[in-house]
Each structure stands twice: as C-alpha cells, then as structure tokens.
DNA sequence: CTAAATGCAAAACGTTTGCATATAG
DNA sequence: CTATATGCAAACGTTTTGCATTTAG
C-alpha cells in the first residue's frame, strides 16, 4: 500500500469518527510516513510539519497526535526520558514490535517477533489478569558504540 | 535481611561512592522500604518523608532518588503518565521483575520470572546488540475490574 | 577548613487548555 | 449557519537548577 492510499484510508477512518483530515493532520501523518523508523518527539514532528505548513502551531500537533493515537493511527512510545515519541501504527505489527535502545548514543532500533504470546497465556492463567497490550524494551549497547568502546 | 541491615548495606554502598547516608536520604529509603509494593511517585515519597523530617524539601527528595537510582539502590518506573515511580531494587530481582498494569483502575501488580533470558540471547546473536537491561510491562484488566465489567 | 548536601524559590521542560478566529460541511 | 479545528499565549504539573546556608568528615 503506497503512501497516498495510506492517507486515503486514514481520511476514511477519521471521517467515520466525525473528524476531518485537515492540512495540519495530513502534515503530521506525512512526517510520520516519511520517518517511520525515527520515533519522533512531538517537537520533531512540529518542526518537520513546518516545511509543509509554516503557520502550524505546536498545540495543533499535540492535538493531532492525541486524536490519531485515540484512533489507533499512531502509537505513542515512552522511553522514560520525559517526552513521548510517536510512530505510525501498522496493522499486525503492534504485538510483535519491540525496541532496542542504546544507553550510550540513544539510537533506537526495532525488531519484530512474537516473543510474548506464550508468556501472556501463562500470565493470564497464573495471575488472573487479562492482557490486552504490552511494552517490551531492551537497553544496552549498539554495534557502533561497542566498537567505539573497544577502541577507547 | 531485616530493614536495619538493608540500611547498613546501603550506607556502605553510598560511602564507597563518596556519598553520605544523610537523614534525608535515610528517610527516603525508609519510605521505600515500608512501601515496597507501592510504586510511589516523588511527591508521595516527599509527603511521607515529612513524617520523619518535616523540614525536608522536594528538591532533596529528587536529588536523593537520582543518586540512589544511579547507585542502583532504587529503580525508576515509567508508566507514561507523566511522572516517575520508584521502588527499591532488590538483589537478583531486577531481571525477573515485571509489571501488570490495569488500564481501568491503574492498579500495578508484579510478577517475577525469568521470561527473557533466552530471548536476550537470541537478540544478542541476531541484532549485534549487547543487552544490559530491559523493561517489560503488560497492560490489561485486573481481576477486580473484570468482575466489575461482568456485572456492569 | 573544605567538600558534600540541603532548603527554598525560581526556572525549565514537555504538555494541555482557554479563547478568539478561521474553516468547512 | 454551526460544528470542528486552529494559532497563540497562558497555564499546568513534574522535575531541575542556582544559590546561600548548613552539615559533617
């Protein structure tokens, strides 16, 4: 599915929920489409949307992201550093999408794997807890930084 | 190991790092010892330390928590709600300590299990990433809320 | 005596809100 | 015409910082 079709799907999804695909919201989505591995902060997105719409306000970016998150179009990530990051939600990916975060350079990479299916069943059985989502992050040193450390 | 021994261990650990176990830091630790399943916010801890030390300042609580986190005495949790929560780090528990977060009532329960040892080995092999820590949280509905939902 | 730690108030930070204005069904 | 959405500035809550003062090796 190409980008224009993605946008068209999102437009329909918004309209189903009495919301419009305004130029501002479209700009936000385009930024996320063009940076789908970047895990952008609201500020990042704000600065990039200004290329399309110099008049856009930061509050509008936040409000757009809030709406799009509620409609499951974007996914909000939290690395515990005091700000949220955003990425497009892709169908089927949600449960198999985890992050590797380098504690030295901050680089974030991803891997997709159904690591937790069995674990969740076990927890449901043992803990009387009905799991609907999860968040799994690994911290450590990426290849680049490990090579740097060997030298230094 | 009883509480006084825990404190003595922490005192030694602090002194090894040119830091003192001040009354303020001790108060913070005592609050955490007495609430080890509470996942307290900095504000919670601040209010509780005031029982021991009415003159303590919020900034001191933050600075204490920052230091204790750096020394691995306390562990900082982030549920993405805009504030951090803190708990004592217990030896051997770190890697086997995960959280179940109820999306309805906000209750946080824990379970301890070495779920990720094999997974980490696999990632190290496949992704060229050296893992030093991880964070695994499950979201869903706790027993209480599920029973409430059946009725409602 | 000196370095570390504190309390207070102010600042900083990311985020949210109030409100008048603009946009579009 | 009326709902929805916007930009701006002000407000918000959490966390950090500057600085004069206190504490303890």
């Amino acid at each position: 599915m190409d980008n224009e079709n993605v946008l068209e799907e999102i437009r329909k999804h918004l309209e189903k929920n009495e919301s419009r695909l305004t130029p501002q919201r479209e700009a936000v989505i385009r930024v996320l489409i063009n940076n789908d591995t970047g895990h952008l902060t609201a500020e990042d997105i704000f600065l990039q949307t200004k290329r399309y719409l110099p008049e856009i306000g930061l509050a509008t970016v936040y409000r757009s992201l809030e709406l799009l998150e509620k409609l499951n179009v974007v996914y909000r990530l939290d690395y515990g550093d005091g700000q949220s990051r955003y990425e497009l939600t892709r169908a089927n990916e949600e449960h198999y999408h985890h992050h590797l975060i380098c504690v030295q350079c901050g680089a974030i990479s991803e891997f997709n794997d159904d690591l937790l299916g069995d674990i969740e069943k076990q927890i449901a059985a043992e803990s009387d807890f009905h799991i609907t989502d999860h968040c799994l992050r690994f911290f450590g040193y990426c290849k680049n930084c490990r090579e740097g450390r060997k030298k230094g």
Side-chain angles (χ1 to χ4, degrees), chain A:
Chain A
M1 192 151 65
D2 70 26
N3 294 346
E4 299 310 314
N5 281 336
V6 171
L7 264 170
E8 199 45 46
E9 290 296 314
I10 293 171
R11 159 174 278 124
K12 285 179 198 159
H13 192 38
L14 286 172
E15 284 170 0
K16 248 181 293 179
N17 290 274
E18 293 90 43
S19 302
R20 305 179 199 141
L21 183 60
T22 62
Q24 289 84 350
R25 290 172 183 170
E26 185 174 325
V28 167
I29 294 163
R30 285 193 188 279
V31 167
L32 291 171
I33 287 176
N34 294 334
N35 294 271
D36 59 347
T37 58
H39 310 106
L40 302 173
T41 64
E43 185 78 22
D44 292 335
I45 295 165
F46 170 59
L47 293 174
Q48 292 197 38
T49 54
K50 281 185 157 292
R51 295 187 202 153
Y52 301 102
L53 291 170
E55 300 304 304
I56 196 171
L58 180 56
T60 300
V61 171
Y62 274 105
R63 282 187 283 231
S64 298
L65 290 168
E66 184 187 26
L67 173 71
L68 294 169
E69 187 193 359
K70 204 165 58 188
L71 297 182
N72 250 302
V73 173
V74 313
Y75 186 71
R76 190 167 63 84
L77 302 147
D78 193 318
Y79 299 130
D81 66 344
Q83 60 195 326
S84 295
R85 280 150 223 277
Y86 300 86
E87 61 182 28
L88 278 192
T89 306
R90 312 297 183 94
N92 304 320
E93 242 187 43
E94 306 109 59
H95 247 64
Y96 314 110
H97 186 173
H98 313 296
H99 290 91
L100 303 174
I101 302 162
C102 181
V103 296
Q104 186 165 331
C105 71
I108 300 163
S109 47
E110 335 188 323
F111 69 96
N112 300 310
D113 210 345
D114 182 14
L115 301 171
L116 299 175
D118 292 341
I119 290 169
E120 291 189 359
K121 280 176 206 150
Q122 183 192 327
I123 291 166
E126 286 176 12
S127 306
D128 232 333
F129 193 95
H130 178 238
I131 294 167
T132 57
D133 198 7
H134 64 236
C135 170
L136 174 56
R137 296 145 22 182
F138 293 95
F139 301 91
Y141 294 92
C142 69
K143 190 183 177 183
N144 277 350
C145 289
R146 276 177 33 241
E147 286 169 356
R149 290 168 100 207
K150 281 175 206 158
K151 287 177 214 154

